[in-house]
Amino acid sequence: MKERILFLGPPGAGKGTQAQNLVSKCGLLHLSTGDLLRAEVKAGTSLGQQIAALMVKGELVSDDLVLAIVKHNLEGHTGGWLLDGFPRTINQAKALDTLLAEIHQPIDIVIFLSLNDDLLIERLLNRGRADDHETIIRHRLEIYHSQTAPLIDFYKSKNLLVAIEAKGTVDDIAMNISKVLG
Ligand code: AP5
C-alpha cells in the first residue's frame, strides 16, 4: 500500500475527515498544518497570536513557518505519513521536495479531492469553525484557486496525482481513496 500520501483540495473538500479515517485504519502519521497551527494558537504563545490574526482572516501563514513545522514533525519519523493542507503554494511544494530528498522519503501519491465551490461553502457554513464565515470562506477559496490549485499541474507533471470527486458519502469517498492506495 502507498504510505507517503499527500491530500490536496479546496477548503471543505473533506481532507481532514478522510485523513482521520485513513490514519486510524493504517497507522500513518497525520500532519495537518491547519491543526498544528490551531494548536499553536490555543497554546497562547506570541507566535500563536500572530498566526491567529492571519487564520481568522483566511490568509495563509508564511511558507517558512509552516515548512519549519512540517520539517520538525517529519524528521526522524520512519513510518508512513499523510500530509493534509500542506503544501499550499508552489514554493511550499518545492521546499517539501528538497526536504523529502534529504530524508529519502519520496511522495508515493497525491490525492486531489475535488468539489465545486457551492457545495464547499455549504459544508463549511454548516461546520461553523472560527474561519467558516461566508466572506472568509470566499477569501479562502480565492487563495486556494490562485495559490494552491497550480499544484494540481505541478503534481500531474510528476505523475503523482490522482483526482477523486469528493461528492457523496464519507464512506463512498473513503472507499475510492482505498482503491487508489492499493
Ligand atoms: P486548514 O485547517 O488546512 O483548513 P482548509 O484547507 O481550509 O480545510 P478545511 O479544514 O476547511 O477543510 P477540509 O478539506 O479538511 O474538510 P473537512 O474534512 O474539515 O487551514 C486553515 C488555515 O490555516 C488556512 O486558512 C491558513 O490560514 C492556515 N494554513 C494551514 N495550512 C497552511 C499552509 N500549508 N500554509 C499556509 N497557511 C496554512 O470537512 C469540512 C466539513 O464538511 C466538515 O464539517 C465535515 O464534517 C464535512 N464533510 C466532510 N466530508 C463530507 C461529505 N462527504 N459529505 C458531507 N459533509 C462532509
Side-chain angles (χ1 to χ4, degrees), residues 66-80:
V66 284
L67 185 71
I69 292 178
V70 172
K71 196 170 178 178
H72 174 74
N73 282 276
L74 271 189
E75 271 174 347
H77 177 76
T78 46

Side-chain angles (χ1 to χ4, degrees), residues 22-41:
L22 197 59
V23 297
S24 63
K25 261 195 323 208
C26 308
L28 305 170
L29 171 71
H30 178 200
L31 278 186
S32 154
T33 43
D35 287 350
L36 291 165
L37 291 167
R38 278 184 288 276
E40 189 69 38
V41 170

Side-chain angles (χ1 to χ4, degrees), residues 1-2 177-182:
M1 186 195 125
K2 296 184 171 61
I177 291 175
S178 293
K179 281 185 199 155
V180 298
L181 291 178

Side-chain angles (χ1 to χ4, degrees), residues 3-6 28-33 36 66-84 86-87 92 95-107:
E3 56 167 26
R4 289 186 296 267
I5 305 161
L6 206 149
L28 305 170
L29 171 71
H30 178 200
L31 278 186
S32 154
T33 43
L36 291 165
V66 284
L67 185 71
I69 292 178
V70 172
K71 196 170 178 178
H72 174 74
N73 282 276
L74 271 189
E75 271 174 347
H77 177 76
T78 46
W81 40 256
L82 193 167
L83 292 182
D84 154 17
F86 177 90
Q92 289 182 10
L96 178 65
D97 277 351
T98 307
L99 168 64
L100 295 179
E102 276 166 20
I103 59 176
H104 308 291
Q105 295 193 28
I107 298 168

Side-chain angles (χ1 to χ4, degrees), residues 136-156:
I136 303 169
I137 294 170
R138 288 193 186 278
H139 186 55
R140 284 160 59 201
L141 282 171
E142 272 168 28
I143 292 183
Y144 166 76
H145 288 297
S146 63
Q147 301 202 44
T148 308
L151 294 177
I152 298 166
D153 281 343
F154 181 86
Y155 286 117
K156 238 187 223 168

